[in-house]
Amino acid sequence: MVTASHEEVMETSMEAAWSRVLERLRTEFDDSVFNSWFKPLALVNIEEGCAIMAAPTRFMRNWLEANYADRIRSAWRCENDTVSEIKLIVLSGFTASEGPRPAAGREDKAPNSPQKNHRQNSKSRIIEGQESEFGAPLDPRFTFESFVVGKSNELAYAAARRVAENKDVHFNPLFLHSGVGLGKTHLMHAIAWANREIFPDRRVVYLSAEQFMYQFISSIRYKDTMSFKQKFRSVDLLMIDDLQFIANKQSTQEEFFHTFNALIDHSRQVVISADRSPTDMEGIEERIRSRLGWGLVADIHPTEYELRLGILQQKANKVPEVEISLQVLEFLARRITSNVRELEGALNRMIAHATLIGRPITLEMTQQVLQDLLRANVRRVSIDEIQRKVADYFNIRLADLLSSRRARAVARPRQVAMYLAKKMTSKSLPEIGRQFGGRDHTTVMHAVKRINELRLSDSVLEEDIQHLERMFGT
Ligand code: ADP
Ligand code: MG
């Protein structure tokens, strides 16, 4: 049974407010406009002052966003002063039984209670369990062919390929994690494309954890959790992107866990991505967290220079009409180290610039056009990032790394993290001490000295540190 008491309690008052908002919009617009655009909307949830409404198609969502967002927002504000913002999302998989229709308006003349009417309509229009309809669309650019492989992502890439090409499950789930813009979403889409091509009959579903949550909540609101469960349990390969989103969201977590277990128990493949490793997922229940790590956990490290250059070359080759010298590409690869998304952004800006002025791109031009980006990309490693990576590397909890526990298994990694913090950031000893659970600067000093000594005498530790330094792309 689904536990959703909170949502259920909220339901009645939300429903009433939503009916009033719809009524207000109905009086403000022509019948045809109202029926085409507002009537097919469904209220998904109200959270933190934001009313989340779902449109059945991307097209409708975009149109509403572009043309009517202000009016919807003010209708909400008039009817319910706890709502100050709105959000429009797409929930494919529910049939817009009264979606945009040129001759709309005819069936609408009945002077019945509008609230009742609305309730019935919403119910029939929400998620009817159509297959393959409920995933998010896939980006055609995100394929294995366009993914450049280097040291930092080779494990994740190999694992993704294996999942895509094999019918038999080898590691379940595959858990991909990394900072932003390093290729998690790209790899997941690539798995879906490749898998569909090799096994056309398999049901592959990709969606973000956020979309999973919205679909779940709306299935509760429209008392349709059975079909929600059914449809998610019937896929062969389920991929959920950015799982960290459901941290601290109790009932969604619970439901995700059931879905996850059901699929794994039936040997269906699950792929998950997040911005951190399972052990570091705070706000996720322990039993879920531990199960997430049962399969293969692959992290994508910050990019190294060769990979960045490879990516730039690949992208530049796709626009042969614009001339970009190797020197410029090398410069960008050296200077833009944050993530691939920014790297691509930089290249795109240069390409746009070159197209506009109709001259080949020079190094001076690059420096000038990208001034702001280059300034922001002086390689900064944060203490937080160091702590997370080190905890991860030594397989201990971040909380333990920051605790006052003196056990060797956590004390040594803590010293390593302090050492790296001193070496790779410009933070002072007291500042570093503060970020390590409020320790004294002498403790940090001692750690730095100790690790310096150990690097000379302890070859295993020396190797660990070299490995860690590589992970930070330095
Ligand atoms: P994440 O999901 O980890 O935040 P994305 O998968 O959205 O990152 O990647 C950000 C951008 O960088 C995308 O346009 C993606 O195609 C590109 N990208 C990331 N890694 C690579 C790679 N190894 N080769 C080619 N493109 C990449
Ligand atoms: Mg992503």
Side-chain angles (χ1 to χ4, degrees):
M1 191 49 214
V2 181
T3 48
S5 48
H6 177 63
E7 282 86 351
E8 273 157 12
V9 172
M10 290 294 292
E11 183 175 338
T12 345
S13 63
M14 271 165 52
E15 197 72 53
W18 176 228
S19 300
R20 290 197 306 273
V21 168
L22 279 175
E23 277 321 295
R24 176 173 286 269
L25 291 168
R26 191 195 288 275
T27 58
E28 287 180 18
F29 291 93
D30 278 359
D31 270 5
S32 64
V33 171
F34 179 82
N35 289 326
S36 302
W37 301 109
F38 300 113
K39 212 171 159 203
L41 274 178
L43 177 66
V44 176
N45 202 15
I46 299 179
E47 44 183 58
E48 289 166 13
C50 181
I52 299 161
M53 287 149 288
T57 65
R58 184 171 293 264
F59 170 74
M60 285 189 71
R61 198 273 314 271
N62 293 347
W63 183 270
L64 284 159
E65 186 83 57
N67 297 287
Y68 299 119
D70 289 342
R71 304 288 290 270
I72 301 175
R73 192 179 298 111
S74 57
W76 267 107
R77 286 181 179 158
C78 291
E79 292 300 341
N80 186 324
D81 54 13
T82 62
V83 171
S84 56
E85 259 316 313
I86 62 159
K87 180 170 179 178
L88 293 161
I89 64 170
V90 187
L91 268 193
S92 48
F94 68 94
T95 47
S97 55
E98 62 279 22
R101 228 178 287 165
R106 220 171 303 130
E107 84 277 33
D108 224 26
K109 295 279 173 327
N112 278 352
S113 148
Q115 297 197 5
K116 237 188 210 145
N117 242 348
H118 168 65
R119 165 124 217 134
Q120 278 167 4
N121 291 339
S122 329
K123 223 172 172 175
S124 64
R125 97 166 82 91
I126 287 294
I127 307 165
E128 300 202 321
Q130 299 112 317
E131 309 186 340
S132 73
E133 273 281 81
F134 56 99
L138 299 172
D139 190 322
R141 293 168 307 167
F142 291 175
T143 61
F144 282 127
E145 288 66 41
S146 67
F147 192 83
V148 184
V149 186
K151 265 211 170 57
S152 58
N153 59 23
E154 64 188 357
L155 174 66
Y157 171 80
R161 269 227 110 106
R162 179 70 70 81
V163 165
E165 286 165 5
N166 277 275
K167 224 183 167 97
D168 301 325
V169 172
H170 290 265
F171 21 74
N172 218 356
L174 168 60
F175 191 105
L176 301 170
H177 70 100
S178 77
V180 298
L182 293 176
K184 298 181 296 295
T185 300
H186 187 135
L187 278 179
M188 289 176 117
H189 287 213
I191 292 174
W193 288 120
N195 200 266
R196 280 182 183 173
E197 196 173 315
I198 307 171
F199 310 108
D201 296 336
R202 293 184 87 198
R203 300 196 49 212
V204 179
V205 167
Y206 162 89
L207 76 173
S208 67
E210 185 178 14
Q211 288 162 327
F212 180 85
M213 183 181 87
Y214 289 138
Q215 297 206 16
F216 173 56
I217 292 179
S218 74
S219 80
I220 294 173
R221 297 197 65 238
Y222 295 101
K223 307 216 175 352
D224 208 8
T225 51
M226 275 317 286
S227 44
F228 175 88
K229 284 174 190 297
Q230 253 164 21
K231 74 179 187 183
F232 273 98
R233 282 164 182 54
S234 68
V235 303
D236 296 300
L237 168 55
L238 177 66
M239 293 194 270
I240 307 256
D241 207 351
D242 292 318
L243 189 73
Q244 71 275 1
F245 185 84
I246 65 166
N248 298 316
K249 307 213 163 63
Q250 276 314 324
S251 39
T252 304
Q253 248 182 60
E254 185 77 16
E255 186 56 30
F256 165 76
F257 191 56
H258 291 317
T259 306
F260 176 80
N261 283 338
L263 289 174
I264 290 193
D265 289 347
H266 288 89
S267 301
R268 312 282 175 78
Q269 181 76 52
V270 178
V271 181
I272 287 163
S273 88
D275 67 352
R276 63 198 68 186
S277 73
T279 29
D280 284 342
M281 294 275 264
E282 277 157 28
I284 301 261
E285 266 183 70
E286 178 55 36
R287 64 193 170 123
I288 304 181
R289 186 161 53 198
S290 82
R291 230 193 142 169
L292 288 174
W294 278 14
L296 180 73
V297 177
D299 62 342
I300 306 179
H301 301 166
T303 54
E304 66 276 357
Y305 172 77
E306 290 77 16
L307 177 62
R308 291 195 292 273
L309 186 61
I311 291 172
L312 288 170
Q313 280 171 324
Q314 182 200 264
K315 312 249 174 218
N317 282 342
K318 289 194 184 137
V319 274
E321 63 279 15
V322 177
E323 203 181 310
I324 309 170
S325 69
L326 183 62
Q327 194 196 16
V328 167
L329 296 183
E330 285 174 347
F331 173 79
L332 291 176
R334 221 172 11 253
R335 294 291 302 276
I336 311 235
T337 54
S338 46
N339 65 51
V340 183
R341 195 170 295 145
E342 280 205 353
L343 194 63
E344 280 183 340
L347 183 65
N348 288 340
R349 264 162 74 177
M350 291 321 298
I351 291 171
H353 192 77
T355 317
L356 271 178
I357 62 168
R359 270 188 281 131
I361 300 169
T362 65
L363 196 55
E364 287 79 43
M365 215 194 256
T366 308
Q367 280 168 320
Q368 215 203 348
V369 173
L370 299 180
Q371 253 176 26
D372 50 334
L373 243 183
L374 293 171
R375 229 177 295 129
N377 262 280
V378 179
R379 170 84 179 131
R380 287 157 308 168
V381 182
S382 69
I383 293 186
D384 182 61
E385 191 185 345
I386 293 172
Q387 291 169 336
R388 249 198 270 142
K389 280 268 142 64
V390 171
D392 214 30
Y393 180 81
F394 288 105
N395 232 330
I396 60 175
R397 297 273 304 278
L398 184 60
D400 287 332
L401 188 90
L402 302 179
S403 72
S404 52
R405 287 186 50 204
R406 285 158 185 270
R408 175 77 167 268
V410 298
R412 184 71 80 226
R414 186 184 301 133
Q415 287 183 322
V416 169
M418 287 179 177
Y419 167 86
L420 291 172
K422 181 68 197 126
K423 200 169 156 195
M424 300 197 301
T425 72
S426 53
K427 295 281 187 317
S428 67
L429 293 173
E431 174 59 23
I432 295 171
R434 256 197 302 284
Q435 289 207 39
F436 276 83
R439 287 186 161 75
D440 196 70
H441 75 279
T442 53
T443 311
V444 184
M445 211 154 67
H446 174 72
V448 174
K449 188 159 155 267
R450 185 84 190 110
I451 298 297
N452 265 324
E453 286 162 11
L454 284 172
R455 285 193 79 159
L456 301 173
S457 59
D458 181 341
S459 61
V460 176
L461 185 78
E462 172 61 19
E463 235 172 72
D464 288 338
I465 290 181
Q466 285 188 12
H467 188 94
L468 280 161
E469 285 179 340
R470 270 200 303 278
M471 278 167 58
F472 289 102
T474 53

